[in-house]
Amino acid sequence: MKLSKLILIGTAAALTISTSMAQRGPGGKGRGPARGAGAGAGGAIVPGPRGGVEDLAELGAIRDQFEAFQRMTAGGAKYYTKEEAKLRERHVKTYGFIRMSVVEDRLQEAQARKLIQVLFTIGEEHLQGDTKTDARLSALKEKIQELRADKVDQDVLSPRLNESQFKLDELHRFAVAEEALSTGEASSLRRKLDRLEEKEDSAKAKELSDRNREKLIEESREIWRSVVKDLQD
């Protein structure tokens, strides 16, 4: 599907996704079949981090707010009524498909953020009376399939790190939407996550050793500790 067709899905700002990103060489995340690659293809939403480095209990009192935000956005409760259960299920599965694609190294984190922005825009515009929600969700799924890398180098897989980055992106999204962090704190978190992604791509462009993988995971853990502290101050 050409990018022009995706304009029907969301705002112009969300539509600057480059298909070529998914086809990048060893330096990017256009890397071929991951272990268990079919697990995400059905779109089932992935549970919270299993191999990640975060523990939501560390959020303390704000954990309930974060989980409520996730139910409303990723879970679709904000956008769809009980009578629209099928649309909500498709929303949830689409979010889960994006998440699994990131974990499998089939999508870059930046691509996933834009796709999620499109998904939430579809939900918001459905609330405003848009009657093409079903078709737009179908078009978005096609776009995800188009962007997903067909081949993944087994030597650079890092599902634990990818899970951590995805969860940190969720926390950043929550912090911005709910003003749980100051503007400066939210901007600092975004810069830290962007730098981590750059280091990850640089490491995977060469040979991702176990030592480098653990260093990246530890950096993601440091970012997590920092944002938890900021949220609790």
Side-chain angles (χ1 to χ4, degrees), residues 65 83 96 134 147 159 162:
Q65 297 175 45
E83 291 72 26
D134 190 65
L147 289 171
N162 296 339

PDB file of all heavy atoms in Angstrom, residues 65 83 96 134 147 159 162:
ATOM      1  N   GLN A  65      -2.593   4.482  37.858  1.00  0.00           N
ATOM      2  CA  GLN A  65      -2.876   5.479  36.824  1.00  0.00           C
ATOM      3  C   GLN A  65      -2.323   5.041  35.472  1.00  0.00           C
ATOM      4  O   GLN A  65      -2.979   5.207  34.442  1.00  0.00           O
ATOM      5  CB  GLN A  65      -2.268   6.824  37.215  1.00  0.00           C
ATOM      6  CG  GLN A  65      -2.836   7.425  38.489  1.00  0.00           C
ATOM      7  CD  GLN A  65      -2.094   8.692  38.872  1.00  0.00           C
ATOM      8  OE1 GLN A  65      -1.823   9.550  38.033  1.00  0.00           O
ATOM      9  NE2 GLN A  65      -1.746   8.829  40.142  1.00  0.00           N
ATOM     10  N   GLU A  83     -20.958  -2.174  22.901  1.00  0.00           N
ATOM     11  CA  GLU A  83     -21.621  -2.655  21.689  1.00  0.00           C
ATOM     12  C   GLU A  83     -20.656  -2.741  20.510  1.00  0.00           C
ATOM     13  O   GLU A  83     -20.978  -3.341  19.489  1.00  0.00           O
ATOM     14  CB  GLU A  83     -22.800  -1.732  21.330  1.00  0.00           C
ATOM     15  CG  GLU A  83     -23.979  -1.797  22.293  1.00  0.00           C
ATOM     16  CD  GLU A  83     -23.682  -1.139  23.637  1.00  0.00           C
ATOM     17  OE1 GLU A  83     -22.815  -0.231  23.672  1.00  0.00           O
ATOM     18  OE2 GLU A  83     -24.296  -1.540  24.641  1.00  0.00           O
ATOM     19  N   GLY A  96      -1.207  -5.097  19.839  1.00  0.00           N
ATOM     20  CA  GLY A  96      -0.382  -6.252  20.188  1.00  0.00           C
ATOM     21  C   GLY A  96       0.516  -6.690  19.034  1.00  0.00           C
ATOM     22  O   GLY A  96       1.651  -7.128  19.250  1.00  0.00           O
ATOM     23  N   ASP A 134     -13.571   0.626  10.553  1.00  0.00           N
ATOM     24  CA  ASP A 134     -13.235  -0.754  10.209  1.00  0.00           C
ATOM     25  C   ASP A 134     -12.253  -0.796   9.044  1.00  0.00           C
ATOM     26  O   ASP A 134     -11.243  -1.520   9.088  1.00  0.00           O
ATOM     27  CB  ASP A 134     -14.518  -1.525   9.854  1.00  0.00           C
ATOM     28  CG  ASP A 134     -14.271  -3.020   9.735  1.00  0.00           C
ATOM     29  OD1 ASP A 134     -13.925  -3.644  10.745  1.00  0.00           O
ATOM     30  OD2 ASP A 134     -14.423  -3.558   8.617  1.00  0.00           O
ATOM     31  N   LEU A 147       5.592  -2.926   6.540  1.00  0.00           N
ATOM     32  CA  LEU A 147       6.793  -2.408   7.193  1.00  0.00           C
ATOM     33  C   LEU A 147       7.592  -3.479   7.926  1.00  0.00           C
ATOM     34  O   LEU A 147       8.789  -3.318   8.145  1.00  0.00           O
ATOM     35  CB  LEU A 147       6.411  -1.302   8.184  1.00  0.00           C
ATOM     36  CG  LEU A 147       5.939   0.023   7.570  1.00  0.00           C
ATOM     37  CD1 LEU A 147       5.394   0.946   8.655  1.00  0.00           C
ATOM     38  CD2 LEU A 147       7.064   0.706   6.814  1.00  0.00           C
ATOM     39  N   PRO A 159      15.235  -9.528  22.271  1.00  0.00           N
ATOM     40  CA  PRO A 159      13.851  -9.364  22.717  1.00  0.00           C
ATOM     41  C   PRO A 159      13.719  -8.721  24.086  1.00  0.00           C
ATOM     42  O   PRO A 159      12.795  -7.937  24.324  1.00  0.00           O
ATOM     43  CB  PRO A 159      13.308 -10.802  22.715  1.00  0.00           C
ATOM     44  CG  PRO A 159      14.519 -11.677  22.751  1.00  0.00           C
ATOM     45  CD  PRO A 159      15.572 -10.933  22.007  1.00  0.00           C
ATOM     46  N   ASN A 162      14.256  -5.068  23.613  1.00  0.00           N
ATOM     47  CA  ASN A 162      13.136  -4.504  22.866  1.00  0.00           C
ATOM     48  C   ASN A 162      11.895  -4.361  23.742  1.00  0.00           C
ATOM     49  O   ASN A 162      11.156  -3.381  23.631  1.00  0.00           O
ATOM     50  CB  ASN A 162      12.821  -5.387  21.654  1.00  0.00           C
ATOM     51  CG  ASN A 162      13.961  -5.423  20.658  1.00  0.00           C
ATOM     52  OD1 ASN A 162      14.804  -4.543  20.636  1.00  0.00           O
ATOM     53  ND2 ASN A 162      13.995  -6.470  19.836  1.00  0.00           N
TER      54      ASN A 162
END
